[in-house]
Amino acid sequence: MKLVFATNNPNKLKEVKALVPPHIQLLSLEDIGCTEDIPETSPTIEGNAIQKARYLKETYGYDCFADDTGLEVDSLQGDPGVYSARYAGEAKDANANMDKLLDNLKKKKDRKAQFKTVIALHINGTLETFTGICSGTIAVQKKGDKGFGYDPIFLPDGYTETFAELPLEEKNSISHRAKAVNQLVKFLNN
Ligand code: IMP
């Protein structure tokens, strides 16, 4: 089975490839010659995942899936949420995003947060979604050099290390994305 994973993010591709069995061959956007930015203008994480999967199917004709992720912080009423990528501006700069979040949490006692991933699968003319959540807290400073995005400031529940300090296999055993991908694989196997 061939499926396109609608992402330009090499880190996401690496994480997902490690979770998908070999009989599901993953193609990247590069593999199908898609170089443009895929529109994601929905006000929800689920809406963006669906929008990306639909765009790819309608424009390129491939069965595919897309992932959209947000970091939801309790004491900020769920921010940055769907705006996680552009939290500190259009440059989508991970360090600037983390600095802004750490700054906004300086005076807050409650640092609880969760990563939420929604995967939208477009296959055989139908659309399915799968949601994965990973709960944790926002650290007081950045730590670690693995992973990407907000990983250096996210402490998953039950761990003293941030996602950026954990090996990929460890992140993949508990992460929001892994939980959504595991549901996707189960669906495809049925
Ligand atoms: P998107 O799903 O690529 O739109 O991601 C939204 C934002 O969340 C971007 O700033 C990403 O870098 C960040 N992000 C997505 N997934 C993860 C993750 O697994 N760890 C840390 N940050 C992430």
Side-chain angles (χ1 to χ4, degrees):
M1 179 194 303
K2 277 187 184 175
L3 265 187
V4 178
F5 179 24
T7 186
N8 279 316
N9 182 329
N11 296 290
K12 281 189 185 179
L13 193 61
K14 200 169 159 195
E15 287 184 13
V16 171
K17 273 193 169 161
L19 292 162
V20 168
H23 72 274
I24 303 170
Q25 191 193 338
L26 285 193
L27 302 179
S28 66
L29 290 177
E30 204 184 340
D31 291 332
I32 62 160
C34 171
T35 51
E36 71 271 24
D37 272 346
I38 300 179
E40 40 182 323
T41 53
S42 166
T44 65
I45 293 171
E46 184 179 36
N48 276 334
I50 291 173
Q51 187 183 16
K52 289 190 267 189
R54 280 210 175 115
Y55 173 89
L56 208 78
K57 178 70 188 178
E58 282 161 16
T59 314
Y60 291 88
Y62 288 97
D63 281 348
C64 62
F65 66 94
D67 139 322
D68 201 65
T69 298
L71 177 59
E72 301 173 331
V73 180
D74 287 11
S75 62
L76 301 177
Q77 290 73 47
D79 273 354
V82 71
Y83 305 108
S84 294
R86 295 177 169 80
Y87 193 44
E90 282 304 310
K92 296 189 188 176
D93 183 279
N95 267 313
N97 285 340
M98 287 188 284
D99 288 342
K100 179 171 176 182
L101 186 54
L102 291 176
D103 207 46
N104 285 343
L105 285 177
K106 249 184 198 155
K107 292 189 180 136
K108 307 273 188 195
K109 279 201 184 110
D110 177 6
R111 301 180 75 91
K112 283 203 285 293
Q114 61 175 22
F115 270 117
K116 178 177 167 184
T117 287
V118 177
I119 287 180
L121 169 71
H122 209 308
I123 193 163
N124 303 328
T126 65
L127 200 82
E128 300 284 338
T129 58
F130 310 95
T131 302
I133 286 176
C134 180
S135 301
T137 49
I138 303 299
V140 289
Q141 61 184 34
K142 299 172 201 164
K143 268 192 181 169
D145 54 11
K146 299 183 182 63
F148 67 102
Y150 293 89
D151 279 348
I153 58 167
F154 187 78
L155 293 158
D157 281 347
Y159 286 77
T160 51
E161 299 98 337
T162 67
F163 264 160
E165 294 178 292
L166 296 177
L168 177 104
E169 307 77 58
E170 195 78 31
K171 182 181 175 190
N172 260 353
S173 71
I174 53 170
S175 84
H176 42 296
R177 181 163 301 100
K179 287 175 184 164
V181 171
N182 290 340
Q183 292 170 53
L184 166 80
V185 170
K186 202 169 160 195
F187 177 88
L188 292 170
N189 281 338
N190 279 335

